[in-house]
Amino acid sequence: MSYITLDYADLAIAASLVLISGGASLVLRLDIERRLLIATLRMVVQLVLVGLVLKALFANVSPLWTGLAVVVMLAVAGREILARQSRPLAGFWAYGLGVSTMAVASTLVTVFALTTQVAPDPWYHPQYALPLFGMVLGNTMTGISLGLDTLVTSLTRERAAVEAKLTLGATIHEAMRPNARQALRTGLMPTVNAMAATGVVALPGMMTGQILSGVEPVEAVKYQILVMFLIAGGTGLGAILAVLAATWRLSDPRHRLRLDRLAASRD
Amino acid sequence: MLTINDLARPGLEPVNLEISAGEIVAIMGPSGAGKSLLLRAISDLDPNTGMVMLGGRAREAMPAPTWRKEVGYLPAEPGWWAETVGEHFQNWPSQQDSLATLGMPGDCGDWPISRLSTGERQRLGLVRLLEGVPQVLLLDEPTSGLDADTVESTERLIRDYIGTQRCCLWVTHDDAQAGRMATRCLRIEAGRLAEPTS
């Protein structure tokens, strides 16, 4: 097995494909050439920067710098969770609840993998820690944002039903259970679908990358299966923590539904 | 029987009220004056301050679900969580007498909730509430969607249920209904509860 290095001329040739799409947009007046250009530039600049950052991190393996990269990734993913809520919690909780549950779930799962299954030396080596953490984090972020958004949307829409159960003497947990269950199902659905379809509909990107870099297919598959388990674990743990924390925040010890703890509606 | 001391929440000034067993107290007042806020506060569905006691027992001395079972609140538009009518009752077959009294057919247990009219929802919501045998009823315009005949049978059902051992707070817009049903009539204006001047 061999690894084929690309030089910048190769990339320039491939970039002509984007130019063809841009040309088609101009000729057919699709009005998308500007956005295509900006997106292409962003993609190139962002990836080059990430490459440089990773190179620097790999050059001096330090728990401090690796940890800093993890914190930055968490902070950005936390903002993304917030942006995906049609109606977030009010105040600190809007950002804090999503980012803290995501941090606990994705860090636990990644450290577990790094200290037992992958076990590089040292365990926090950024070459292993950051790619694994990134994959777990991205999926956990999706699971948490879907779970939280579904929970809040359904509680807001079905407020009368939840309160009807309360007025008949149900506990707030009984009253919210169908909503919490629905939120967890929705949060876990992308992971379940991805596991069910993987290898049949599409080859996973990480496995494809390892095969391109010369790894034996069976070895690449083993890594992909490990990553799928980690993603399932991170998404499940993250969604459960986030939905439970949100049901706790949206209720109180007198078994009330506290939708007043949501931020004011955006529409 | 039901004692309310300085019960307040945003939109509602402190309320003091004592309701004896056998009483039906009508609450009247313009829309948005705070009638529903008062019932929700007594039921402890929204954050509020003050003291509410049932038969000398403070609300805070019992779990909120127990309190709401004893002090049953029927909103103007009762909520539904399942597909069909029957699923909302602990024991659907034993509701036949109440349903017949209120002019609902006995086989409506299989009806989808989406098919019910406003008046049907109100009557079924009332029957559902009475199934838990609450000692106090907090009713928010329970007959606003009903025709005259059904209003009368609903009033009779509630009066029989209250009897001499239970009591009721009844929000209504209808002076005649207050006259027929209420042992006492109160008004809320701009969040302030008072005995009517007229």
Coordinates of all heavy atoms in Angstrom, one line a residue, chain B residues 82-146:
Chain B
A82 N -54.0 12.4 24.2 CA -54.0 11.2 23.4 C -54.9 11.4 22.2 O -55.5 12.4 22.0 CB -54.5 10.0 24.3
E83 N -55.0 10.3 21.3 CA -55.8 10.4 20.1 C -57.3 10.5 20.3 O -58.0 11.3 19.7 CB -55.4 9.2 19.2 CG -54.0 9.2 18.6 CD -53.8 10.3 17.6 OE1 -54.7 10.4 16.7 OE2 -52.8 11.0 17.6
T84 N -57.7 9.5 21.1 CA -59.2 9.4 21.3 C -59.7 9.8 22.7 O -58.9 9.9 23.6 CB -59.6 7.9 21.0 OG1 -59.0 7.1 22.1 CG2 -59.1 7.4 19.7
V85 N -61.0 10.0 22.8 CA -61.6 10.5 24.0 C -61.4 9.6 25.2 O -60.9 10.0 26.2 CB -63.1 10.7 23.8 CG1 -63.8 11.0 25.1 CG2 -63.4 11.8 22.8
G86 N -61.6 8.3 25.0 CA -61.6 7.3 26.1 C -60.3 7.2 26.8 O -60.2 6.9 28.0
E87 N -59.2 7.4 26.0 CA -57.8 7.2 26.6 C -57.5 8.3 27.7 O -56.6 8.1 28.4 CB -56.8 7.4 25.5 CG -56.8 6.3 24.4 CD -55.9 6.7 23.3 OE1 -54.7 6.4 23.4 OE2 -56.3 7.2 22.2
H88 N -58.3 9.3 27.7 CA -58.1 10.4 28.7 C -58.7 10.1 30.1 O -58.6 10.9 31.0 CB -58.6 11.7 28.2 CG -57.8 12.2 27.0 ND1 -58.1 11.9 25.8 CD2 -56.7 13.0 27.0 CE1 -57.2 12.4 24.9 NE2 -56.4 13.1 25.6
F89 N -59.4 8.9 30.2 CA -60.1 8.6 31.5 C -59.4 7.4 32.1 O -58.9 6.5 31.5 CB -61.6 8.3 31.2 CG -62.3 9.6 30.7 CD1 -62.2 10.0 29.4 CD2 -63.1 10.3 31.6 CE1 -62.8 11.2 29.0 CE2 -63.7 11.4 31.2 CZ -63.6 11.9 29.9
Q90 N -59.4 7.4 33.5 CA -58.9 6.3 34.2 C -59.8 5.0 33.9 O -59.3 4.0 33.7 CB -58.9 6.5 35.7 CG -58.2 7.8 36.2 CD -56.7 7.6 36.2 OE1 -56.3 6.5 36.4 NE2 -56.0 8.7 36.1
N91 N -61.1 5.3 34.0 CA -62.1 4.2 33.9 C -63.2 4.7 33.0 O -64.2 5.2 33.5 CB -62.5 3.7 35.3 CG -63.5 2.5 35.2 OD1 -63.8 2.1 34.1 ND2 -63.9 2.0 36.3
W92 N -63.1 4.5 31.7 CA -64.1 5.1 30.8 C -65.5 4.5 31.0 O -66.4 5.3 31.0 CB -63.5 4.9 29.3 CG -64.5 5.3 28.3 CD1 -65.2 4.4 27.5 CD2 -65.0 6.6 28.0 NE1 -66.1 5.2 26.7 CE2 -65.9 6.5 27.0 CE3 -64.7 7.9 28.5 CZ2 -66.6 7.6 26.4 CZ3 -65.3 9.0 28.0 CH2 -66.3 8.8 27.0
P93 N -65.6 3.1 31.1 CA -67.0 2.6 31.2 C -67.8 3.2 32.3 O -69.0 3.3 32.2 CB -66.8 1.1 31.4 CG -65.4 0.8 30.8 CD -64.6 2.1 31.1
S94 N -67.2 3.6 33.4 CA -68.0 4.1 34.5 C -68.4 5.5 34.4 O -69.0 6.1 35.3 CB -67.2 3.9 35.8 OG -66.1 4.8 35.8
Q95 N -68.1 6.1 33.2 CA -68.5 7.5 33.0 C -69.9 7.7 32.4 O -70.4 8.8 32.1 CB -67.5 8.2 32.1 CG -66.1 8.1 32.5 CD -65.9 8.6 34.0 OE1 -66.4 9.6 34.4 NE2 -65.1 7.8 34.7
Q96 N -70.5 6.5 32.1 CA -71.8 6.6 31.2 C -72.8 7.5 31.8 O -73.5 8.2 31.1 CB -72.3 5.2 31.1 CG -71.4 4.2 30.2 CD -71.1 4.8 28.9 OE1 -71.9 5.4 28.2 NE2 -69.9 4.7 28.4
D97 N -73.0 7.5 33.1 CA -74.1 8.3 33.7 C -73.9 9.8 33.5 O -74.7 10.5 33.1 CB -74.2 8.0 35.3 CG -74.8 6.6 35.5 OD1 -75.3 6.0 34.5 OD2 -74.8 6.2 36.7
S98 N -72.6 10.2 33.8 CA -72.3 11.6 33.6 C -72.5 12.0 32.2 O -73.0 13.1 31.9 CB -70.9 11.9 34.1 OG -70.7 11.4 35.4
L99 N -72.0 11.2 31.3 CA -72.1 11.5 29.8 C -73.5 11.6 29.4 O -73.9 12.6 28.7 CB -71.4 10.4 29.0 CG -69.9 10.3 29.2 CD1 -69.4 9.0 28.5 CD2 -69.2 11.5 28.6
A100 N -74.4 10.7 29.9 CA -75.8 10.8 29.5 C -76.4 12.1 30.0 O -77.2 12.7 29.3 CB -76.5 9.5 30.0
T101 N -76.1 12.4 31.3 CA -76.6 13.6 31.9 C -76.3 14.9 31.0 O -77.1 15.8 30.8 CB -76.1 13.9 33.3 OG1 -76.3 12.7 34.0 CG2 -76.7 15.0 34.0
L102 N -75.0 14.9 30.5 CA -74.6 16.0 29.7 C -74.9 15.9 28.2 O -74.4 16.7 27.4 CB -73.0 16.2 29.9 CG -72.6 16.4 31.3 CD1 -71.1 16.6 31.4 CD2 -73.3 17.7 31.9
G103 N -75.7 14.9 27.8 CA -76.1 14.8 26.5 C -75.0 14.3 25.5 O -75.0 14.6 24.3
M104 N -74.0 13.6 26.0 CA -73.0 13.0 25.2 C -73.3 11.5 24.9 O -73.6 10.8 25.9 CB -71.6 13.1 25.8 CG -71.0 14.5 26.0 SD -70.6 15.3 24.5 CE -69.3 14.3 23.8
P105 N -73.2 11.0 23.7 CA -73.5 9.6 23.4 C -72.5 8.7 24.1 O -71.3 9.1 24.3 CB -73.4 9.5 21.9 CG -72.6 10.7 21.5 CD -72.8 11.8 22.5
G106 N -72.9 7.5 24.6 CA -72.1 6.6 25.3 C -70.9 6.1 24.5 O -70.0 5.6 25.1
D107 N -71.0 6.1 23.2 CA -70.0 5.5 22.4 C -68.9 6.5 21.9 O -68.1 6.2 21.0 CB -70.6 4.8 21.2 CG -71.2 5.8 20.2 OD1 -71.3 7.0 20.6 OD2 -71.7 5.4 19.1
C108 N -68.9 7.7 22.5 CA -67.9 8.7 22.1 C -66.5 8.4 22.5 O -65.6 9.2 22.2 CB -68.4 10.1 22.5 SG -68.3 10.4 24.3
G109 N -66.3 7.3 23.3 CA -65.0 7.0 23.7 C -64.0 6.8 22.6 O -62.8 7.0 22.7
D110 N -64.5 6.3 21.4 CA -63.6 6.1 20.3 C -63.4 7.3 19.4 O -62.7 7.2 18.4 CB -64.2 4.9 19.5 CG -64.2 3.6 20.3 OD1 -63.4 3.4 21.1 OD2 -65.2 2.8 20.1
W111 N -64.1 8.3 19.7 CA -64.0 9.5 18.8 C -62.6 10.1 18.9 O -62.0 10.2 20.0 CB -65.0 10.6 19.3 CG -66.4 10.3 19.0 CD1 -66.9 9.1 18.5 CD2 -67.6 11.1 19.2 NE1 -68.3 9.2 18.4 CE2 -68.7 10.4 18.8 CE3 -67.7 12.4 19.7 CZ2 -70.0 10.9 18.9 CZ3 -69.0 13.0 19.8 CH2 -70.1 12.2 19.4
P112 N -62.1 10.6 17.7 CA -60.8 11.3 17.8 C -61.0 12.7 18.4 O -62.1 13.3 18.2 CB -60.4 11.4 16.4 CG -61.6 11.2 15.6 CD -62.6 10.4 16.4
I113 N -60.1 13.1 19.2 CA -60.2 14.4 19.9 C -60.3 15.5 18.8 O -61.1 16.5 19.0 CB -58.9 14.7 20.7 CG1 -58.8 13.7 21.9 CG2 -58.9 16.1 21.2 CD1 -59.9 13.8 22.9
S114 N -59.7 15.4 17.7 CA -59.7 16.5 16.7 C -61.1 16.7 16.2 O -61.4 17.8 15.6 CB -58.8 16.1 15.5 OG -59.1 14.8 15.0
R115 N -62.1 15.7 16.4 CA -63.4 15.9 15.8 C -64.3 16.6 16.8 O -65.4 17.0 16.4 CB -63.9 14.4 15.6 CG -65.2 14.4 14.8 CD -65.6 12.9 14.7 NE -67.0 12.8 15.1 CZ -67.7 11.7 15.2 NH1 -67.1 10.6 14.9 NH2 -69.0 11.7 15.5
L116 N -63.9 16.8 18.0 CA -64.8 17.4 19.1 C -65.0 18.9 18.9 O -64.1 19.6 18.5 CB -64.2 17.1 20.4 CG -64.0 15.7 20.9 CD1 -63.3 15.7 22.2 CD2 -65.2 14.9 20.9
S117 N -66.3 19.3 19.1 CA -66.5 20.7 19.1 C -66.1 21.3 20.5 O -65.8 20.6 21.4 CB -68.0 21.0 19.0 OG -68.7 20.6 20.1
T118 N -66.1 22.7 20.5 CA -65.7 23.3 21.8 C -66.5 22.9 22.9 O -66.0 22.6 24.0 CB -65.8 24.9 21.6 OG1 -65.1 25.2 20.4 CG2 -65.2 25.6 22.8
G119 N -67.8 22.8 22.7 CA -68.8 22.4 23.8 C -68.5 21.0 24.2 O -68.6 20.7 25.4
E120 N -68.2 20.1 23.3 CA -68.0 18.7 23.6 C -66.7 18.6 24.4 O -66.6 17.8 25.4 CB -67.9 17.8 22.4 CG -69.2 17.6 21.7 CD -69.2 17.1 20.3 OE1 -68.1 17.2 19.7 OE2 -70.1 16.5 19.8
R121 N -65.7 19.4 24.1 CA -64.4 19.4 24.8 C -64.7 19.8 26.3 O -64.1 19.3 27.2 CB -63.4 20.3 24.2 CG -62.8 19.7 22.9 CD -62.0 20.7 22.2 NE -61.8 20.2 20.8 CZ -60.6 20.0 20.3 NH1 -59.5 20.2 20.9 NH2 -60.5 19.6 19.0
Q122 N -65.5 20.9 26.4 CA -65.8 21.4 27.8 C -66.5 20.3 28.6 O -66.1 20.1 29.8 CB -66.6 22.6 27.7 CG -65.8 23.9 27.2 CD -66.7 25.1 27.1 OE1 -67.8 25.0 26.7 NE2 -66.1 26.2 27.5
R123 N -67.5 19.7 28.0 CA -68.2 18.7 28.8 C -67.4 17.5 29.2 O -67.4 17.0 30.3 CB -69.5 18.2 28.0 CG -70.6 19.2 28.1 CD -71.8 18.8 27.3 NE -71.6 19.1 25.8 CZ -72.3 18.6 24.9 NH1 -73.4 17.9 25.1 NH2 -72.1 19.0 23.6
L124 N -66.6 17.0 28.2 CA -65.7 15.9 28.4 C -64.6 16.2 29.4 O -64.2 15.4 30.3 CB -65.1 15.3 27.1 CG -66.1 14.6 26.2 CD1 -65.5 14.4 24.8 CD2 -66.5 13.3 26.8
G125 N -64.1 17.5 29.3 CA -63.1 17.9 30.3 C -63.7 17.9 31.7 O -63.0 17.6 32.7
L126 N -64.9 18.3 31.8 CA -65.6 18.4 33.2 C -65.7 16.9 33.7 O -65.4 16.7 34.9 CB -67.0 19.0 33.0 CG -67.8 19.1 34.3 CD1 -67.1 20.0 35.4 CD2 -69.2 19.6 34.1
V127 N -66.2 16.0 32.9 CA -66.4 14.6 33.3 C -65.0 14.0 33.7 O -64.9 13.4 34.7 CB -67.0 13.8 32.2 CG1 -67.1 12.3 32.6 CG2 -68.4 14.3 31.9
R128 N -64.0 14.3 32.9 CA -62.7 13.9 33.2 C -62.2 14.4 34.6 O -61.6 13.7 35.4 CB -61.7 14.3 32.1 CG -60.3 13.8 32.2 CD -59.5 14.2 31.1 NE -59.3 15.7 31.0 CZ -58.5 16.3 30.1 NH1 -58.0 15.7 29.2 NH2 -58.4 17.6 30.2
L129 N -62.5 15.7 34.8 CA -62.0 16.3 36.1 C -62.8 15.6 37.3 O -62.2 15.3 38.3 CB -62.3 17.8 36.1 CG -61.8 18.5 37.3 CD1 -60.3 18.6 37.3 CD2 -62.4 20.0 37.3
L130 N -64.1 15.4 37.1 CA -64.9 14.9 38.2 C -64.5 13.4 38.5 O -64.7 12.9 39.6 CB -66.4 15.0 37.9 CG -66.9 16.4 37.7 CD1 -68.4 16.4 37.6 CD2 -66.5 17.3 38.9
E131 N -63.9 12.7 37.6 CA -63.5 11.3 37.8 C -62.6 11.2 39.0 O -62.6 10.2 39.7 CB -62.9 10.7 36.5 CG -62.6 9.2 36.6 CD -61.9 8.7 35.4 OE1 -61.4 9.5 34.6 OE2 -62.0 7.5 35.2
G132 N -61.7 12.2 39.1 CA -60.7 12.2 40.2 C -61.3 12.6 41.6 O -60.6 12.7 42.6
V133 N -62.6 13.0 41.6 CA -63.4 13.4 42.8 C -62.6 14.5 43.6 O -62.3 14.3 44.8 CB -63.7 12.2 43.7 CG1 -64.8 12.5 44.7 CG2 -64.0 11.0 42.9
P134 N -62.4 15.7 43.0 CA -61.8 16.8 43.7 C -62.8 17.4 44.7 O -64.0 17.3 44.5 CB -61.5 17.8 42.6 CG -62.4 17.5 41.5 CD -62.6 16.0 41.5
Q135 N -62.3 17.9 45.8 CA -63.1 18.5 46.8 C -63.5 19.9 46.5 O -64.6 20.4 46.9 CB -62.4 18.5 48.2 CG -62.1 17.1 48.7 CD -63.4 16.3 48.7 OE1 -64.3 16.6 49.4 NE2 -63.4 15.2 47.9
V136 N -62.7 20.6 45.7 CA -63.0 22.0 45.2 C -62.9 22.0 43.7 O -62.1 21.3 43.1 CB -61.9 22.9 45.8 CG1 -62.2 24.4 45.3 CG2 -61.8 22.9 47.3
L137 N -63.9 22.7 43.1 CA -63.8 22.8 41.6 C -63.5 24.3 41.3 O -64.0 25.2 41.9 CB -65.2 22.5 41.0 CG -65.7 21.1 41.1 CD1 -67.0 20.9 40.4 CD2 -64.6 20.1 40.5
L138 N -62.5 24.5 40.4 CA -62.2 25.8 39.9 C -62.6 25.7 38.4 O -61.8 25.2 37.6 CB -60.7 26.1 40.0 CG -60.1 25.9 41.4 CD1 -58.5 26.0 41.3 CD2 -60.6 26.9 42.4
L139 N -63.7 26.3 38.0 CA -64.2 26.2 36.7 C -64.1 27.5 35.9 O -64.6 28.5 36.4 CB -65.7 25.8 36.7 CG -66.0 24.5 37.6 CD1 -67.5 24.2 37.6 CD2 -65.2 23.3 37.1
D140 N -63.5 27.4 34.7 CA -63.3 28.6 33.9 C -64.3 28.6 32.8 O -64.0 27.9 31.8 CB -61.8 28.7 33.4 CG -61.5 30.1 32.9 OD1 -62.4 30.9 32.7 OD2 -60.3 30.4 32.8
E141 N -65.4 29.3 32.9 CA -66.4 29.4 31.9 C -66.8 28.0 31.3 O -66.6 27.7 30.1 CB -66.0 30.3 30.8 CG -65.7 31.7 31.3 CD -65.7 32.7 30.2 OE1 -66.7 32.7 29.4 OE2 -64.9 33.6 30.2
P142 N -67.2 27.1 32.2 CA -67.4 25.7 31.8 C -68.6 25.5 30.8 O -68.6 24.4 30.1 CB -67.7 24.9 33.1 CG -68.3 26.0 34.0 CD -67.6 27.2 33.6
T143 N -69.4 26.5 30.6 CA -70.6 26.3 29.7 C -70.6 27.3 28.6 O -71.6 27.4 27.9 CB -71.9 26.4 30.5 OG1 -72.0 27.8 31.0 CG2 -72.0 25.4 31.7
S144 N -69.5 27.9 28.3 CA -69.5 29.0 27.3 C -69.8 28.5 25.9 O -70.3 29.2 25.1 CB -68.2 29.8 27.3 OG -67.1 28.9 27.0
G145 N -69.5 27.2 25.6 CA -69.7 26.7 24.3 C -71.0 25.8 24.1 O -71.1 25.1 23.2
L146 N -71.9 25.9 25.1 CA -73.0 25.0 25.2 C -74.3 25.6 24.8 O -74.5 26.8 25.1 CB -73.1 24.3 26.6 CG -71.9 23.7 27.1 CD1 -72.2 23.0 28.5 CD2 -71.3 22.6 26.2

